[in-house]
Amino acid sequence: MLHPTTPTKADDGIEQLKRDITTKWGINFPGRDPAWSPSRRDSTRIEDRILACVQYLYFRDGALPHAIDQFERHAESIYSNWQPKPRADADVIPYRNEGPAMKGKGDFLRKRTRPSDEMMKDLTTSLWNHLSQTADRVRAGESFASPAPSAISSFKNNRLSSKRNNVNASPSHQLSIYQFFRLKSKPDIANVAQHASSDEFQDEDMTDTVDDAASFGYPPLPISKTRGDSGQTTSTEENFGTPPTTPTRLQSGSMNLGKIPRGSKKRPLPEPNRLPLPQKVSRESRSHDSLDDMISAMSPIIGGNSARPSAARSSFSGTLSTSHSVGNLSSTSTSMTSKSSVTSANTSFSSDSMVSSFTDSTNDTDITVCQSKQSGRTASTWEQIPWSKPAIWEGNQESRVLDPMDCKQDLIVAGGSKHATDMAPPSQPIKQPVRTLAPGKEDTVNRLYHHSPFISTPPQFENIAFRQLYEVTRVSLLCSIPIPHFSSCLKENIDSYNLLWSNMMSILNGHSKCAALERSSPDAWAKAGDGFEKVSLTGKLKPLSLQTGSLFELNLLPLKTESSYRFARKFGHDRFCVIGIPDLKSYDTATREAVIDWLVDTRHCFLGRTWRCFFVQPERTKKTQRNLRSNADVKYRVHLFAEDGVGFTEMGRKRGINLKVPHHARKSVKDLIEWFMSMNSNLNEPSLKIFSRIKQGLTNTVPTFIFSPREIIRSDNAHADNPCVRRLDVRRSEDKKLKRNPDESASPVMNDGCARISRDAAEAVSSLLGLDYVPSAFQGRIGPAKGVWFVDALEEAPASLARADTKVYWIEVTDKQQKFEPHPIDSLSHDNERVTFEVYKYSRRLSSAFLNFQLMPILEDRGVPRKEFIDLFRENLSSQVAQLEAAMEDVLALRKWNQDSYPVTQERASGGIAMLGALPETQSEKTNWLIESGFDPKFCAFFKQLLYNAVLAYCMNLENRMHIGLGMSTNALIIADPLGILNEDEVHVGFSCMFKDSKSGFNENMLHEIDVLVARSPAHLPSDIQKVRAIFKPELKVYKDIVVFPCTGSTPLADKLSGGDYDGDQVWLCWDPRIVAPFHNATVPDPPATKFFGIEEDTTEVSEFPCETRISEFLKHAFNFNMRMNMLGICSNYHEALCYHQDSINSRQAINLAALLGKLVDSNKQGYKFDEAQWISYQKANGLKMVPVPAYKDKQNRPKAESLIDHLVFVVAKEEREKALSGFDKRFEDVPSWDDDLVRLYKRETEEAKAKEVKSNTQLSTVLANLRKDIDKIYDYWKRYARPSGENGRQSTAHHGNGVSFRAIVEKCRLDFVAIAPKTDEPTLSDDTRIRHWQQDHADSRPSYWDLLKASAAFRMHDKTNYVWYIAGLELGQIKATAKGPGTFHTVVTHVFETYKLDGKSVDTAKRRELMAEQNRLEIMDDDADEEGEDNETQYGDSWSQVDWGEYDL
């Protein structure tokens, strides 16, 4: 191996090393003349980057020898070009093919062939990767052992002497120079070397140099423990294990070693009775990208960190034992300073422990397993392979441990393949430090790894389109049918989702789970064929109750569209998968730990890719529930990243590759996290807080403007001791970026989370969002920062920041906004994704808000009379019902009411109109569709029932959530006053347009000189609602639709509201005098110390994890902490019940509990440990007894007369609900379900069929008869599963029977309806021309008259049920819209229609025109009565014309 010597001058040593590398490996470096200077380096040349790194490492003891050693190990495998054969016999040692020129020579000493250009490129890249990685580790503080010159000489002599004296040694006893350097501090080096060099060759006449041996690509082996005849391990003072992935073959020596005997014609073999060692096959290191990587390469010169650590593709290697039994994989090796074993890159598994649980196939080439009866699935050769247990490694702090999160490291996997998806094991264990398995854990480990729920894709199907493979795998998993059964669906790429679905359904014909299958979104399928942009992959692990086999069952969910996020925009949406995980609290501690270890430490293989977990979060948001189809068995969301797989290359997408097929560069989870944040730059940060910051890269945002690094202005926080106008300071920004003169003020921060953005930048962001106005504030993220950015009121525009177009773009980032240290390289050469301003939401026109459960008890405690809440409740419900009843008299008014009550514009813009069968999915969109299709609720029972359900839902929402509409209130973003002109307890509020409240008559565009209430959710303390004064400041007039809080005082106003800040918090703002006037403020209590609650703090810093396994240990620690039982919900419910039974929120117990809830809200981020035992201990210490659930939450409990909420729910709400529903029913009773327009087509065809029967032509009658049978057959299925439920026997669209979801029922019935073809008694096409056209159109899947006829027939047969609307709604809408003939309807394509929004002014204008038209008609009728002899028919025509134009000319 090459090692730098100790030259008289550093330059001489570097030059000598260059010559050695060039001589041995052929890598050419630029020459250096006397006038050479580092400034002349060409940073675009990888050779110059290598020299820069060599120069940096040269003066770091031991670092450069280590890097060169690692390079040579990889280089030898590149040179050997050996291909692994995962199905080869277990006792065969792989070696390269022998050419004719090699006959007569040794099997392993052959001439090195001339390297190709591609090989030279790989060698150069590999050298750079190993040098840069070592430089990163040096900068992180890691040290490397330095070789002793005297020891080198002694070692050479002893080694060569040993070779000549003992030529029968096993290759497993060989020692490389690198291992010798690690032993340099030991006194008895010669003895160790002599032991290691015995019995190396079988012939003494071998005279080839070690240089020649090294040229054949055989890596060096460390010292191995030896066994005597008794089987006992014997060694000298230090023993070394064998590398885990190194084959038994001749090791390469150093260029500085002497000669070895020539003439050996025998290939060295393993010792008798020993299994061959597994072959190490390193993947090619990834290539670096563009300017980012060039700057990263120069980081050693500037002393910074590399922007992107190199990553290479993982390799799988392993051997099968002859015994084919299951056993643990173990490894032993010793360190320099301890007799304990070490874990290092050169540590291996003992050969006698290499055993696996495989059985040979009948043809002796494939690996198969016996069927597992307990697995819950049909076992097959591809489905369940009992891969061996995770490799067990022993280690101490002085050893070098492979980072399990780096996919370039080798894996020990029995039966591994040459690429990550070629029959790869479903779970690939990673080398980890050994632990003592708790009782019962070993069985859990076996079940997790031997029966993984993640199923590998058969290799013959891996090259199929990924979206197609996903759908087939999803159906395969749900129905427990092996993927090969769907081979007909995977022979070729299928673009039509309907065709793919019908093919799968034909294969599953009669399967019991067919009814439960849900189709993927058509929009998602289309986007998946175009790069998977904004398409989500989701699934969930379902726990199994079996005692053996798999612990979980994986169910993939249908493809859905979603908003994008930073990680997905950088690496691709299809590389991320979110899996729902059940609550693990039902498992014992050992099982829970095993499951978490398995999740984090395993590469999970499915969908032709290898996936790794990198983030976990609780399952709790509404969006989450919709995306994951969540239910009670999902507790956490685990995010997985695809590291490798089919279509993955070192460089990613290449030219000429089909853009519709995802192609990516191989990246590891380590690469993913390091790209997002530099771990080396955040070593002193709490690990749990850093882990929580990963969520910034997973938040759904809209990418907008790309700033340059100089346009990102760093600034100090605003402190209470210095309230002043915020101004830009570019020089101060540069100091902060270089960490000079840090802000040392201890005064409270008054602007936590908010900062400014230039006017030009805000306009650019608004334009990219598609807005026609500039919002006052944006909540978003940029690089490591998150928070709210508001438009600069001063409109500062430093000339130094002006761009070529003279516009000035800048964005300010305060210390509080920056959540972690940015990449140092971004200041020189930035990654666009890390300097893009990502918008989460923005300020918009404000509307009225609600009162809720949390606010009412505080308001009542602070003096608001109970009568006010009762009056508000009655007023709110009666007003809402009255508005709906009035709107039902006119469809345009109804459309406007629906739009105001249930806005859908944002939903349409983000994901389009979601469909459920033949109807829109949401109630609001159903209402819009019925109106737009021409239906009237006064003449359509289905439409009337839909509106009745809307009233019922509103009433139930009032009862269950107590959301009482309050006209003079709103919810708005908050910011801190950037000018420092607001006094303490003053706020500034301005509206972008007139804020109207029809009930109170309020109609203003600002709040000035009035008292208002501000609150923030969650609110528990009496002080969580504050009364302040609204003062409109002209200097702040630019800020509209947001609330400006003061920067003066000793405590931020946001902090008084349950510990809020300005990074995106919204406040409830109320100026209704009935609520505000009687309210009086409460003093903010001092919170108890954290220890008072018995809370333990996890303060583990990132630096405390070992450097080599930092990412792996960091993630495992975070997963364990975040998947603990969260006590927030339990404590919150107890606090609510305690206040309910004490009739007070102001007791000491209630206030302390509220403070505890404030601690638990961010417990995962802050590292607070508070479990069930600590909660019980706290209850006992503070005299807290068990209290029943409040009656308003559990209707079985007796209501309390003293409770405000009980009175509203059980008395007021019940009375008002019954009154509203009965009134609605009476006003709109006897609404018909029949519609002549919808049955006209079927009626006409039936009459024609009867006429043709007279002429003995029965084909049309036969077609109609078969159509009725098919419709009734579908209806029979509908009746079986979607039975009526609810009050008065009304059919509930949310009902499902026999475990089949309503969506699945609807989708199946809709598909069956669409598939109904015009059938005659003849197998051929009909002689009837019309029927033949129907048959041809149906066969070609073209919209036709036949589709409308089917819908008309279905309505004629089942007009009184919801069934007909869900299976034929689209066609019924088309029939209704076109019933009045051409000119009465307009055709609009969907993507244009989805952008439409009804203008309220248009509704008023149409109403006025209608009234004017009616008035004109009456006047004309009066004129007709006075003028005798007038042509009444002509006048009637004139009047009709006026009404027609007045009604439709909008």
Side-chain angles (χ1 to χ4, degrees):
M1 189 195 74
L2 301 175
H3 281 296
T5 58
T6 306
T8 55
K9 289 179 60 180
D11 285 349
D12 295 339
I14 294 175
E15 286 298 303
Q16 179 61 45
L17 182 62
K18 282 171 51 180
R19 287 192 293 270
D20 290 346
I21 293 175
T22 301
T23 301
K24 183 171 183 179
W25 300 109
I27 300 175
N28 295 316
F29 297 96
R32 294 171 53 172
D33 54 32
W36 184 88
S37 166
S39 61
R40 296 189 180 185
R41 284 198 182 106
D42 183 359
S43 57
T44 62
R45 280 176 53 100
I46 191 171
E47 291 84 358
D48 278 338
R49 288 187 285 170
I50 290 173
L51 285 181
C53 213
V54 167
Q55 184 179 19
Y56 174 77
L57 295 176
Y58 189 86
F59 301 97
R60 274 69 180 177
D61 290 344
L64 189 54
H66 170 81
I68 296 299
D69 174 78
Q70 295 300 311
F71 158 68
E72 291 196 335
R73 291 174 182 273
H74 189 205
E76 289 157 350
S77 63
I78 294 176
Y79 240 111
S80 66
N81 197 28
W82 176 79
Q83 297 296 327
K85 300 183 182 299
R87 297 176 181 173
D89 292 338
D91 56 347
V92 175
I93 299 176
Y95 62 94
R96 293 164 298 166
N97 293 331
E98 234 180 76
M102 301 306 297
K103 301 297 182 181
K105 286 186 174 283
D107 290 335
F108 51 90
L109 291 179
R110 305 183 178 100
K111 273 191 176 181
R112 190 190 321 185
T113 58
R114 185 180 181 276
S116 64
D117 293 340
E118 185 67 21
M119 186 181 295
M120 290 307 306
K121 179 180 177 181
D122 292 343
L123 287 169
T124 307
T125 303
S126 175
L127 178 58
W128 158 243
N129 286 340
H130 290 291
L131 288 169
S132 62
Q133 290 174 37
T134 305
D136 288 342
R137 292 167 58 186
V138 169
R139 286 191 292 273
E142 184 174 355
S143 60
F144 297 86
S146 301
S150 60
I152 296 177
S153 174
S154 173
F155 168 74
K156 292 178 186 177
N157 297 332
N158 282 305
R159 180 176 176 85
L160 293 177
S161 173
S162 172
K163 290 179 184 177
R164 296 186 182 97
N165 296 334
N166 190 347
V167 297
N168 297 318
S170 169
S172 63
H173 297 167
Q174 299 166 8
L175 177 69
S176 71
I177 294 180
Y178 176 62
Q179 274 78 48
F180 169 77
F181 287 148
R182 294 183 63 184
L183 293 173
K184 68 181 179 63
S185 62
K186 284 298 190 180
D188 196 7
I189 294 292
N191 191 23
V192 175
Q194 185 174 2
H195 164 76
S197 61
S198 62
D199 301 333
E200 184 163 5
F201 297 110
Q202 296 181 2
D203 294 307
E204 297 184 1
D205 56 344
M206 299 176 64
T207 55
D208 290 350
T209 64
V210 177
D211 290 348
D212 291 332
S215 68
F216 305 131
Y218 297 99
L221 298 175
I223 299 177
S224 172
K225 290 184 179 182
T226 62
R227 291 181 181 270
D229 295 337
S230 64
Q232 298 295 324
T233 303
T234 60
S235 67
T236 56
E237 192 168 337
E238 295 294 340
N239 299 318
F240 286 79
T242 310
T245 52
T246 306
T248 306
R249 57 185 181 183
L250 179 65
Q251 80 167 46
S252 58
S254 168
M255 293 181 64
N256 298 323
L257 294 182
K259 302 293 182 177
I260 60 176
R262 290 184 178 271
S264 175
K265 300 179 180 180
K266 296 183 180 181
R267 182 169 177 236
L269 297 174
E271 291 182 8
N273 302 321
R274 285 202 177 204
L275 291 175
L277 297 174
Q279 171 69 33
K280 175 176 179 178
V281 184
S282 298
R283 300 261 178 212
E284 295 179 358
S285 300
R286 70 171 178 85
S287 300
H288 289 260
D289 306 327
S290 64
L291 187 59
D292 277 357
D293 294 313
M294 181 272 290
I295 298 295
S296 175
M298 299 299 289
S299 60
I301 304 173
I302 63 175
N305 294 323
S306 296
R308 303 182 187 180
S310 64
R313 193 176 179 185
S314 60
S315 62
F316 308 119
S317 59
T319 57
L320 303 180
S321 72
T322 55
S323 62
H324 307 290
S325 61
V326 181
N328 289 331
L329 304 178
S330 61
S331 162
T332 54
S333 169
T334 49
S335 69
M336 295 303 308
T337 60
S338 172
K339 293 293 183 180
S340 63
S341 298
V342 300
T343 307
S344 75
N346 304 313
T347 309
S348 78
F349 298 113
S350 300
S351 58
D352 54 357
S353 68
M354 298 289 293
V355 290
S356 302
S357 58
F358 298 89
T359 57
D360 293 333
S361 63
T362 54
N363 59 5
D364 295 329
T365 58
D366 294 331
I367 298 172
T368 62
V369 296
C370 299
Q371 178 173 348
S372 174
K373 297 181 181 180
Q374 297 84 4
S375 65
R377 298 183 183 275
T378 303
S380 63
T381 57
W382 65 273
E383 187 179 16
Q384 292 289 355
I385 299 180
W387 300 96
S388 57
K389 296 180 182 180
I392 308 300
W393 285 61
E394 302 178 22
N396 58 26
Q397 295 180 353
E398 294 185 12
S399 63
R400 179 182 182 275
V401 185
L402 295 177
D403 190 343
M405 305 309 293
D406 194 345
C407 70
K408 63 179 171 289
Q409 305 291 3
D410 299 312
L411 299 176
I412 306 304
V413 180
S417 65
K418 64 183 178 181
H419 66 85
T421 56
D422 183 12
M423 289 296 293
S427 297
Q428 298 170 4
I430 309 300
K431 307 165 191 170
Q432 288 298 321
V434 70
R435 335 180 151 77
T436 301
L437 296 180
K441 186 172 181 178
E442 183 173 1
D443 179 66
T444 301
V445 170
N446 290 336
R447 294 178 64 186
L448 287 170
Y449 288 94
H450 292 189
H451 305 282
S452 172
F454 297 99
I455 306 303
S456 296
T457 302
Q460 64 267 32
F461 301 130
E462 288 175 344
N463 290 319
I464 208 70
F466 185 67
R467 61 174 178 172
Q468 188 174 336
L469 179 62
Y470 181 90
E471 282 296 293
V472 173
T473 304
R474 179 172 71 87
V475 173
S476 166
L477 289 170
L478 185 61
C479 298
S480 300
I481 295 178
I483 292 180
H485 287 212
F486 296 90
S487 58
S488 60
C489 301
L490 297 170
K491 289 182 179 179
E492 58 184 0
N493 291 332
I494 300 176
D495 290 332
S496 170
Y497 185 69
N498 289 334
L499 178 58
L500 174 63
W501 190 261
S502 62
N503 288 346
M504 290 192 295
M505 292 305 102
S506 63
I507 295 172
L508 295 174
N509 187 25
H511 194 281
S512 60
K513 292 188 178 179
C514 276
L517 291 173
E518 295 182 23
R519 287 166 59 93
S520 289
S521 161
D523 186 38
W525 174 263
K527 289 183 177 181
D530 191 21
F532 264 85
E533 184 177 0
K534 297 184 179 180
V535 177
S536 63
L537 308 179
T538 55
K540 60 183 179 180
L541 289 179
K542 178 182 177 182
L544 298 177
S545 58
L546 301 175
Q547 297 300 315
T548 57
S550 181
L551 275 179
F552 303 103
E553 178 183 63
L554 174 65
N555 287 330
L556 295 177
L557 299 178
L559 294 172
K560 295 293 180 182
T561 57
E562 65 174 358
S563 299
S564 66
Y565 47 94
R566 189 186 303 179
F567 280 132
R569 289 190 290 269
K570 176 65 177 180
F571 298 98
H573 282 77
D574 61 299
R575 294 190 74 163
F576 297 89
C577 183
V578 182
I579 300 295
I581 303 294
D583 195 347
L584 303 180
K585 67 179 181 181
S586 60
Y587 296 104
D588 58 72
T589 303
T591 301
R592 177 183 171 276
E593 292 178 353
V595 171
I596 294 177
D597 289 352
W598 168 74
L599 281 172
V600 179
D601 287 341
T602 305
R603 288 190 175 101
H604 307 285
C605 295
F606 63 105
L607 298 173
R609 299 179 177 185
T610 56
W611 304 77
R612 295 295 299 276
C613 300
F614 69 95
F615 190 71
V616 63
Q617 60 182 321
E619 161 77 351
R620 58 187 178 186
T621 64
K622 291 182 178 178
K623 288 184 179 180
T624 298
Q625 292 172 1
R626 182 174 68 250
N627 290 341
L628 281 182
R629 294 277 190 270
S630 177
N631 46 42
D633 63 346
V634 172
K635 181 70 173 179
Y636 306 100
R637 289 160 51 90
V638 173
H639 296 256
L640 292 89
F641 174 67
E643 295 184 322
D644 202 351
V646 175
F648 287 59
T649 62
E650 296 299 334
M651 299 295 295
R653 190 182 299 281
K654 299 179 180 179
R655 289 186 178 180
I657 292 180
N658 183 2
L659 295 178
K660 293 187 176 183
V661 179
H663 286 76
H664 304 290
R666 298 185 186 102
K667 302 286 182 181
S668 66
V669 163
K670 182 177 181 179
D671 294 326
L672 177 79
I673 295 177
E674 283 288 352
W675 172 83
F676 181 71
M677 69 171 79
S678 172
M679 297 299 284
N680 287 340
S681 300
N682 295 275
L683 292 177
N684 297 325
E685 295 293 327
S687 62
L688 293 174
K689 184 171 289 188
I690 287 295
F691 179 79
S692 70
R693 302 309 182 193
I694 296 177
K695 190 176 181 180
Q696 288 182 222
L698 295 168
T699 304
N700 291 334
T701 55
V702 178
T704 58
F705 191 75
I706 302 176
F707 290 89
S708 68
R710 70 187 185 93
E711 294 169 339
I712 300 176
I713 308 299
R714 290 291 311 279
S715 67
D716 295 322
N717 298 315
H719 292 278
D721 58 359
N722 186 28
C724 59
V725 179
R726 303 284 295 175
R727 290 192 176 277
L728 286 184
D729 188 340
V730 178
R731 180 174 298 178
R732 176 61 178 152
S733 174
E734 295 302 318
D735 286 345
K736 294 186 73 64
K737 290 179 181 179
L738 296 174
K739 297 181 173 27
R740 294 198 295 247
N741 302 322
D743 181 12
E744 297 179 352
S745 174
S747 180
V749 176
M750 306 300 287
N751 65 339
D752 185 358
C754 66
R756 298 172 296 156
I757 186 173
S758 71
R759 166 66 65 173
D760 288 339
E763 290 176 352
V765 170
S766 303
S767 176
L768 292 168
L769 288 173
L771 303 177
D772 57 0
Y773 69 99
V774 179
S776 296
F778 306 89
Q779 183 183 0
R781 290 99 171 87
I782 180 169
K786 66 184 286 284
V788 168
W789 281 266
F790 51 88
V791 179
D792 179 31
L794 301 177
E795 298 190 5
E796 293 186 83
S800 60
L801 298 178
R803 291 193 179 185
D805 58 0
T806 71
K807 292 191 174 183
V808 178
Y809 304 100
W810 56 264
I811 186 170
E812 182 183 39
V813 175
T814 65
D815 293 340
K816 278 288 189 178
Q817 285 183 309
Q818 183 163 289
K819 302 305 179 182
F820 53 89
E821 287 298 322
H823 279 268
I825 202 64
D826 281 343
S827 61
L828 298 177
S829 175
H830 58 273
D831 186 304
N832 281 347
E833 293 293 344
R834 292 200 294 263
V835 292
T836 296
F837 185 56
E838 306 162 342
V839 176
Y840 179 66
K841 62 183 177 182
Y842 50 87
S843 61
R844 58 184 70 198
R845 179 180 176 179
L846 299 179
S847 58
S848 297
F850 300 87
L851 278 174
N852 60 32
F853 275 133
Q854 285 190 337
L855 297 179
M856 283 189 282
I858 300 177
L859 292 171
E860 186 182 27
D861 179 81
R862 305 320 304 156
V864 180
R866 177 173 296 192
K867 180 180 178 298
E868 300 295 344
F869 300 106
I870 297 174
D871 292 344
L872 282 172
F873 188 97
R874 295 185 187 277
E875 173 189 307
N876 186 255
L877 182 56
S878 59
S879 173
Q880 189 74 7
V881 175
Q883 289 179 19
L884 176 57
E885 291 177 349
M888 286 183 67
E889 298 296 335
D890 179 76
V891 290
L892 279 179
L894 180 59
R895 178 68 175 81
K896 179 66 167 58
W897 172 89
N898 189 58
Q899 178 175 282
D900 293 341
S901 301
Y902 307 100
V904 295
T905 307
Q906 191 68 22
E907 179 184 350
R908 290 182 174 188
S910 61
I913 301 176
M915 300 296 291
L916 178 61
L919 287 177
E921 183 173 11
T922 63
Q923 299 297 317
S924 56
E925 285 289 16
K926 283 189 182 77
T927 301
N928 291 339
W929 175 82
L930 287 164
I931 294 172
E932 291 155 0
S933 297
F935 294 100
D936 191 318
K938 299 189 297 295
F939 306 103
C940 177
F942 176 75
F943 197 175
K944 181 250 183 181
Q945 184 62 43
L946 191 69
L947 297 177
Y948 178 93
N949 291 340
V951 176
L952 177 60
Y954 190 83
C955 293
M956 297 308 297
N957 186 58
L958 279 177
E959 289 186 32
N960 297 330
R961 303 179 62 190
M962 204 50 62
H963 277 196
I964 303 175
L966 192 59
M968 287 188 285
S969 70
T970 191
N971 294 313
L973 280 170
I974 55 174
I975 65 169
D977 177 16
L979 304 181
I981 59 177
L982 288 172
N983 294 325
E984 187 176 7
D985 296 332
E986 288 183 350
V987 297
H988 167 91
V989 182
F991 304 113
S992 58
C993 57
M994 303 300 286
F995 193 103
K996 298 180 181 180
D997 176 35
S998 58
K999 299 173 187 176
S1000 64
F1002 180 84
N1003 188 13
E1004 298 289 344
N1005 64 356
M1006 70 177 73
L1007 299 181
H1008 184 55
E1009 294 289 351
I1010 61 173
D1011 289 334
V1012 299
L1013 300 182
V1014 289
R1016 173 184 167 273
S1017 183
H1020 301 293
L1021 292 169
S1023 60
D1024 284 345
I1025 301 179
Q1026 292 285 313
K1027 180 191 285 190
V1028 294
R1029 191 75 172 169
I1031 304 292
F1032 186 86
K1033 297 287 186 180
E1035 299 90 339
L1036 300 173
K1037 64 182 179 180
V1038 66
Y1039 301 123
K1040 301 173 182 179
D1041 300 327
I1042 58 176
V1043 182
V1044 183
F1045 277 20
C1047 270
T1048 54
S1050 58
T1051 303
L1053 178 56
D1055 187 54
K1056 295 180 181 180
L1057 308 179
S1058 61
D1061 52 32
Y1062 303 100
D1063 68 350
D1065 288 2
Q1066 284 190 320
V1067 295
W1068 175 75
L1069 178 73
C1070 174
W1071 59 97
D1072 191 318
R1074 294 175 293 179
I1075 304 296
V1076 178
F1079 185 94
H1080 57 275
N1081 282 336
T1083 304
V1084 179
D1086 294 327
T1090 303
K1091 293 183 179 180
F1092 171 78
F1093 305 106
I1095 294 176
E1096 300 176 10
E1097 293 188 56
D1098 186 317
T1099 58
T1100 306
E1101 295 183 353
V1102 176
S1103 60
E1104 295 181 40
F1105 299 113
C1107 179
E1108 293 297 335
T1109 57
R1110 178 164 293 150
I1111 297 295
S1112 176
E1113 296 299 322
F1114 162 74
L1115 290 181
K1116 192 183 302 181
H1117 177 72
F1119 267 68
N1120 269 291
F1121 191 91
N1122 282 267
M1123 294 181 75
R1124 293 171 179 265
M1125 184 177 181
N1126 193 321
M1127 299 299 296
L1128 177 62
I1130 293 175
C1131 296
S1132 180
N1133 290 336
Y1134 185 88
H1135 173 267
E1136 184 179 1
L1138 181 69
C1139 295
Y1140 172 83
H1141 288 285
Q1142 290 183 345
D1143 297 319
S1144 173
I1145 62 170
N1146 220 356
S1147 68
R1148 173 50 55 187
Q1149 290 176 325
I1151 289 177
N1152 286 344
L1153 277 175
L1156 173 62
L1157 296 178
K1159 300 284 186 183
L1160 297 181
V1161 166
D1162 287 332
S1163 60
N1164 286 346
K1165 180 173 67 176
Q1166 300 298 337
Y1168 293 153
K1169 297 179 182 179
F1170 190 76
D1171 56 22
E1172 193 170 9
Q1174 290 164 310
W1175 167 237
I1176 294 174
S1177 176
Y1178 175 78
Q1179 286 179 302
K1180 291 180 179 179
N1182 292 272
L1184 299 176
K1185 300 180 180 180
M1186 296 300 297
V1187 290
V1189 177
Y1192 59 81
K1193 282 197 167 184
D1194 186 352
K1195 302 297 193 297
Q1196 303 299 321
N1197 293 339
R1198 181 185 297 274
K1200 290 185 59 177
E1202 301 84 0
S1203 170
L1204 167 64
I1205 300 177
D1206 273 358
H1207 181 72
L1208 291 175
V1209 170
F1210 291 99
V1211 180
V1212 182
K1214 184 178 180 180
E1215 293 175 356
E1216 293 299 320
R1217 170 165 55 91
E1218 293 175 353
K1219 178 182 175 180
L1221 294 177
S1222 60
F1224 188 91
D1225 257 344
K1226 288 179 181 178
R1227 182 167 182 178
F1228 300 102
E1229 61 183 352
D1230 299 328
V1231 175
S1233 62
W1234 186 262
D1235 193 322
D1236 287 332
D1237 291 337
L1238 300 183
V1239 299
R1240 186 173 292 116
L1241 296 182
Y1242 178 74
K1243 182 178 179 181
R1244 183 175 63 194
E1245 295 300 330
T1246 303
E1247 293 173 352
E1248 184 174 344
K1250 291 180 180 179
K1252 288 187 175 183
E1253 285 181 357
V1254 178
K1255 301 178 181 180
S1256 300
N1257 184 350
T1258 62
Q1259 285 193 341
L1260 182 57
S1261 298
T1262 303
V1263 169
L1264 295 179
N1266 289 332
L1267 173 59
R1268 290 190 293 269
K1269 292 179 182 178
D1270 290 337
I1271 292 174
D1272 278 338
K1273 183 179 179 181
I1274 301 173
Y1275 184 60
D1276 289 340
Y1277 177 86
W1278 177 275
K1279 288 192 299 182
R1280 180 182 177 187
Y1281 289 102
R1283 291 185 294 271
S1285 65
E1287 297 182 1
N1288 302 321
R1290 292 188 176 95
Q1291 191 157 11
S1292 170
T1293 57
H1295 180 73
H1296 57 86
N1298 295 351
V1300 182
S1301 69
F1302 182 73
R1303 169 177 288 277
I1305 296 170
V1306 172
E1307 295 293 352
K1308 173 174 171 49
C1309 291
R1310 170 63 179 173
L1311 287 175
D1312 291 346
F1313 176 77
V1314 171
I1316 296 176
K1319 294 178 290 187
T1320 63
D1321 293 335
E1322 301 295 331
T1324 58
L1325 291 177
S1326 173
D1327 294 335
D1328 188 299
T1329 304
R1330 282 197 311 153
I1331 297 176
R1332 184 166 65 252
H1333 286 325
W1334 297 347
Q1335 291 173 331
Q1336 291 173 341
D1337 288 343
H1338 181 78
D1340 296 337
S1341 299
R1342 291 196 299 264
S1344 67
Y1345 177 83
W1346 171 249
D1347 298 324
L1348 304 182
L1349 178 58
K1350 288 191 297 184
S1352 182
F1355 187 84
R1356 172 64 181 81
M1357 300 168 63
H1358 304 287
D1359 65 291
K1360 298 185 184 299
T1361 68
N1362 292 349
Y1363 157 74
V1364 67
W1365 295 96
Y1366 280 104
I1367 68 165
L1370 291 175
E1371 292 77 13
L1372 293 176
Q1374 186 177 346
I1375 295 172
K1376 186 65 176 179
T1378 59
K1380 295 182 179 180
T1384 62
F1385 63 91
H1386 194 75
T1387 304
V1388 185
V1389 293
T1390 301
H1391 70 275
V1392 175
F1393 170 76
E1394 288 175 349
T1395 63
Y1396 286 0
K1397 180 180 179 181
L1398 188 67
D1399 185 4
K1401 295 180 180 179
S1402 299
V1403 177
D1404 296 337
T1405 302
K1407 188 67 176 178
R1408 287 194 298 271
R1409 287 178 177 172
E1410 184 179 349
L1411 293 175
M1412 292 176 60
E1414 179 66 14
Q1415 183 179 359
N1416 291 338
R1417 188 181 68 84
L1418 294 176
E1419 290 176 356
I1420 292 173
M1421 290 177 65
D1422 291 340
D1423 292 341
D1424 290 346
D1426 294 337
E1427 298 180 12
E1428 296 181 357
E1430 196 76 31
D1431 188 345
N1432 292 332
E1433 184 177 353
T1434 303
Q1435 291 180 6
Y1436 177 79
D1438 292 340
S1439 176
W1440 179 258
S1441 176
Q1442 292 175 9
V1443 173
D1444 184 53
W1445 284 108
E1447 186 173 356
Y1448 292 104
D1449 184 18
L1450 304 181

